Amino acid sequence: GVEHRIEFVCEKNGVAYYNDSKGTNPDAAIKGIQAMNRRTLLIGGGYDKDSEYEEWIEAFDGKVKHLVLLGQTREKIAEAARRVGFENIILVDSLEEAVHTCARLAEPGDAVLLSPACASFDLFKNFEIRGNCFKEIVKNNNGDAFVTYRANWLSYYSAIKDINTALSLDRKNIDAHLVLADIYYALGDDDNILLTLKIYCAIILTNMRKSRR
């Protein structure tokens, strides 16, 4: 699409990012979600122009995995979503937090779409600034390396679960450190993420050595 209208931004870790900041009302945002051919994490919300959002949400048609809402209308849209039976709702305080949240939850093959169904005036001067801000955040998202890093660790963890069971290792301790890593990730604490994952690895190695004795 043209700039700010279902505009492809980039693909990271198998996730495609689209900027539809020009979707400033529900009718325009319906066209945005209809254009998606992937499972989508949708960022919406903004300035309240007294719109109704049920028709937009019903147009999700099973494509939307999570609806991430910010701005003045976030509670109003969340209530509308629940009225039509959509429950996968996340409320955030900023566009940066919205992108960060989507990057954490998205899986390869998904799309992240900014299509707010609202004007931008509560947080941005106009939709162009909102769209440009979205693109900058996406392109400079510091979470990318850890998204890949965590995915690799989770794959490793999945592969050794049967070994842990067979060797009677302390899975609760291992699980706790994965949860802790997630908390540090949500807080943006990269140093403690790496430290936690190193401890996670050390626990596995220590337990495996003990099991050989």
Side-chain angles (χ1 to χ4, degrees):
V2 298
E3 189 173 19
H4 307 299
R5 193 69 182 112
I6 319 174
E7 173 192 7
F8 176 72
V9 178
C10 65
E11 183 166 320
K12 290 189 170 187
N13 301 315
V15 177
Y17 290 80
Y18 291 90
N19 166 34
D20 191 39
S21 184
K22 200 171 182 179
T24 58
N25 59 67
D27 287 340
I30 286 172
K31 293 181 174 64
I33 191 58
Q34 287 176 339
M36 294 295 101
N37 59 5
R38 301 179 177 212
R39 294 275 284 166
T40 301
L41 292 88
L42 177 58
I43 300 172
Y47 180 76
D48 192 356
K49 297 193 294 184
D50 295 323
S51 297
E52 300 296 327
Y53 299 99
E54 285 84 356
E55 187 177 353
W56 170 50
I57 295 159
E58 288 172 341
F60 291 176
D61 195 27
K63 293 180 184 178
V64 176
K65 293 176 65 174
H66 296 281
L67 178 59
V68 181
L69 297 172
L70 69 157
Q72 187 182 91
T73 58
R74 64 181 189 171
E75 296 285 357
K76 180 179 178 179
I77 296 173
E79 289 173 7
R82 293 187 184 101
R83 280 197 295 271
V84 298
F86 187 89
E87 297 287 346
N88 292 341
I89 302 160
I90 301 170
L91 303 183
V92 297
D93 294 321
S94 67
L95 186 55
E96 185 172 14
E97 185 183 357
V99 173
H100 189 84
T101 298
C102 290
R104 180 169 55 87
L105 295 174
E107 299 173 324
D110 289 347
V112 173
L113 171 66
L114 170 68
S115 189
C118 300
S120 58
F121 310 136
D122 60 333
L123 296 173
F124 301 94
K125 185 176 180 180
N126 53 51
F127 74 82
E128 290 96 341
I129 292 174
R130 176 173 61 188
N132 288 334
C133 182
F134 172 75
K135 290 189 284 187
E136 282 301 309
I137 294 168
V138 168
K139 290 175 181 177
N140 296 298
N141 181 21
N142 292 329
D144 282 349
F146 181 68
V147 168
T148 302
Y149 194 27
R150 180 175 178 271
N152 289 339
W153 277 98
L154 288 176
S155 295
Y156 176 59
Y157 176 62
S158 178
I160 67 167
K161 277 191 351 186
D162 290 339
I163 297 174
N164 289 347
T165 301
L167 298 177
S168 300
L169 301 184
D170 185 359
R171 288 237 306 275
K172 289 183 180 179
N173 201 357
I174 294 169
D175 287 340
H177 280 80
L178 283 178
V179 171
L180 189 58
D182 273 339
I183 292 169
Y184 285 135
Y185 178 52
L187 294 173
D189 191 341
D190 293 337
D191 290 339
N192 273 319
I193 289 166
L194 296 177
L195 176 60
T196 302
L197 290 176
K198 286 177 182 177
I199 294 171
Y200 164 82
C201 183
I203 290 168
I204 293 171
L205 292 175
T206 300
N207 285 337
M208 291 185 74
R209 286 176 186 138
K210 286 179 180 178
S211 70
R212 292 173 184 165
R213 293 174 184 171

